[in-house]
Amino acid sequence: MQVIECSEPQLDVLAVLFNDYRIFYGYQDDLPACRDFLEENLRLRRSSMFLLTDDGGNAVAFAQCYPATCSLSMRPYQYLSDLYVIRSARQQGHGRYLMQYLRDHFSARGAQRITLDTATTNTTAQRLYEALGYEREQVYITYHQVLDAPGQP
């Protein structure tokens, strides 16, 4: 297995995985919009994207992380927004491998932690995260308020 920190040459492969990830969560198939979104993230350096290939060089998983800062610890951290393993590669250690890579990668760069969310129904992912030492939030309550996009009713 090999992890590649993505740049322009990986964009087409990454966009396919990102589109499949969104479909997994119930969003519409929209490969051109996925590609545009990822391309803009790369161009503006809004996120870091990682592609995992298997021993045959096939793309089997990806992750996208956004940088953030913890005011209390006064240190940077990473928000793991997206993690996806293709169906045919699940339960083979690919997600674990990519998660451990991200831990080592961001730890070496001084990040205080990696924070992530997952669907309450995604128990497979929850088991993986907990097996890797991630702890379910017990102290803070998260709130969201969805805002209207400018020009939207």
PDB file of all heavy atoms in Angstrom, residues 144-153:
ATOM      1  N   HIS A 144     -25.226  22.867  15.230  1.00  0.00           N
ATOM      2  CA  HIS A 144     -25.098  23.341  13.854  1.00  0.00           C
ATOM      3  C   HIS A 144     -26.284  24.245  13.546  1.00  0.00           C
ATOM      4  O   HIS A 144     -27.394  23.989  14.011  1.00  0.00           O
ATOM      5  CB  HIS A 144     -25.129  22.186  12.846  1.00  0.00           C
ATOM      6  CG  HIS A 144     -24.049  21.174  13.035  1.00  0.00           C
ATOM      7  ND1 HIS A 144     -22.756  21.394  12.632  1.00  0.00           N
ATOM      8  CD2 HIS A 144     -24.071  19.949  13.585  1.00  0.00           C
ATOM      9  CE1 HIS A 144     -22.028  20.325  12.917  1.00  0.00           C
ATOM     10  NE2 HIS A 144     -22.799  19.436  13.510  1.00  0.00           N
ATOM     11  N   GLN A 145     -26.040  25.254  12.761  1.00  0.00           N
ATOM     12  CA  GLN A 145     -27.116  26.044  12.179  1.00  0.00           C
ATOM     13  C   GLN A 145     -26.809  26.161  10.703  1.00  0.00           C
ATOM     14  O   GLN A 145     -25.777  26.721  10.320  1.00  0.00           O
ATOM     15  CB  GLN A 145     -27.214  27.431  12.810  1.00  0.00           C
ATOM     16  CG  GLN A 145     -28.392  28.214  12.262  1.00  0.00           C
ATOM     17  CD  GLN A 145     -28.557  29.561  12.931  1.00  0.00           C
ATOM     18  OE1 GLN A 145     -27.595  30.312  13.030  1.00  0.00           O
ATOM     19  NE2 GLN A 145     -29.771  29.839  13.383  1.00  0.00           N
ATOM     20  N   VAL A 146     -27.659  25.598   9.888  1.00  0.00           N
ATOM     21  CA  VAL A 146     -27.458  25.641   8.447  1.00  0.00           C
ATOM     22  C   VAL A 146     -27.833  27.034   7.963  1.00  0.00           C
ATOM     23  O   VAL A 146     -28.915  27.544   8.271  1.00  0.00           O
ATOM     24  CB  VAL A 146     -28.300  24.556   7.739  1.00  0.00           C
ATOM     25  CG1 VAL A 146     -28.138  24.654   6.236  1.00  0.00           C
ATOM     26  CG2 VAL A 146     -27.895  23.186   8.245  1.00  0.00           C
ATOM     27  N   LEU A 147     -26.922  27.653   7.229  1.00  0.00           N
ATOM     28  CA  LEU A 147     -27.129  29.010   6.723  1.00  0.00           C
ATOM     29  C   LEU A 147     -27.496  28.963   5.244  1.00  0.00           C
ATOM     30  O   LEU A 147     -27.024  28.091   4.511  1.00  0.00           O
ATOM     31  CB  LEU A 147     -25.840  29.823   6.895  1.00  0.00           C
ATOM     32  CG  LEU A 147     -25.270  29.857   8.317  1.00  0.00           C
ATOM     33  CD1 LEU A 147     -23.953  30.599   8.327  1.00  0.00           C
ATOM     34  CD2 LEU A 147     -26.271  30.488   9.277  1.00  0.00           C
ATOM     35  N   ASP A 148     -28.319  29.896   4.847  1.00  0.00           N
ATOM     36  CA  ASP A 148     -28.662  29.995   3.445  1.00  0.00           C
ATOM     37  C   ASP A 148     -27.461  30.546   2.677  1.00  0.00           C
ATOM     38  O   ASP A 148     -26.767  31.445   3.148  1.00  0.00           O
ATOM     39  CB  ASP A 148     -29.848  30.952   3.228  1.00  0.00           C
ATOM     40  CG  ASP A 148     -31.134  30.404   3.812  1.00  0.00           C
ATOM     41  OD1 ASP A 148     -31.286  29.163   3.862  1.00  0.00           O
ATOM     42  OD2 ASP A 148     -31.992  31.206   4.213  1.00  0.00           O
ATOM     43  N   ALA A 149     -27.222  29.974   1.512  1.00  0.00           N
ATOM     44  CA  ALA A 149     -26.160  30.492   0.652  1.00  0.00           C
ATOM     45  C   ALA A 149     -26.622  31.819   0.079  1.00  0.00           C
ATOM     46  O   ALA A 149     -27.812  32.029  -0.153  1.00  0.00           O
ATOM     47  CB  ALA A 149     -25.862  29.504  -0.469  1.00  0.00           C
ATOM     48  N   PRO A 150     -25.680  32.753  -0.141  1.00  0.00           N
ATOM     49  CA  PRO A 150     -26.065  34.048  -0.729  1.00  0.00           C
ATOM     50  C   PRO A 150     -26.817  33.826  -2.034  1.00  0.00           C
ATOM     51  O   PRO A 150     -26.428  33.017  -2.867  1.00  0.00           O
ATOM     52  CB  PRO A 150     -24.729  34.737  -0.983  1.00  0.00           C
ATOM     53  CG  PRO A 150     -23.773  34.075  -0.046  1.00  0.00           C
ATOM     54  CD  PRO A 150     -24.257  32.654   0.106  1.00  0.00           C
ATOM     55  N   GLY A 151     -27.927  34.530  -2.179  1.00  0.00           N
ATOM     56  CA  GLY A 151     -28.711  34.438  -3.408  1.00  0.00           C
ATOM     57  C   GLY A 151     -29.680  33.263  -3.431  1.00  0.00           C
ATOM     58  O   GLY A 151     -30.403  33.079  -4.383  1.00  0.00           O
ATOM     59  N   GLN A 152     -29.715  32.472  -2.356  1.00  0.00           N
ATOM     60  CA  GLN A 152     -30.635  31.333  -2.271  1.00  0.00           C
ATOM     61  C   GLN A 152     -31.838  31.731  -1.443  1.00  0.00           C
ATOM     62  O   GLN A 152     -31.716  32.447  -0.464  1.00  0.00           O
ATOM     63  CB  GLN A 152     -29.942  30.129  -1.624  1.00  0.00           C
ATOM     64  CG  GLN A 152     -28.735  29.625  -2.395  1.00  0.00           C
ATOM     65  CD  GLN A 152     -29.140  28.964  -3.684  1.00  0.00           C
ATOM     66  OE1 GLN A 152     -30.130  28.276  -3.769  1.00  0.00           O
ATOM     67  NE2 GLN A 152     -28.360  29.202  -4.731  1.00  0.00           N
ATOM     68  N   PRO A 153     -33.003  31.234  -1.801  1.00  0.00           N
ATOM     69  CA  PRO A 153     -34.216  31.553  -1.003  1.00  0.00           C
ATOM     70  C   PRO A 153     -34.197  30.895   0.351  1.00  0.00           C
ATOM     71  O   PRO A 153     -33.562  29.944   0.608  1.00  0.00           O
ATOM     72  CB  PRO A 153     -35.366  31.012  -1.868  1.00  0.00           C
ATOM     73  CG  PRO A 153     -34.760  30.070  -2.837  1.00  0.00           C
ATOM     74  CD  PRO A 153     -33.298  30.415  -2.943  1.00  0.00           C
TER      75      PRO A 153
END
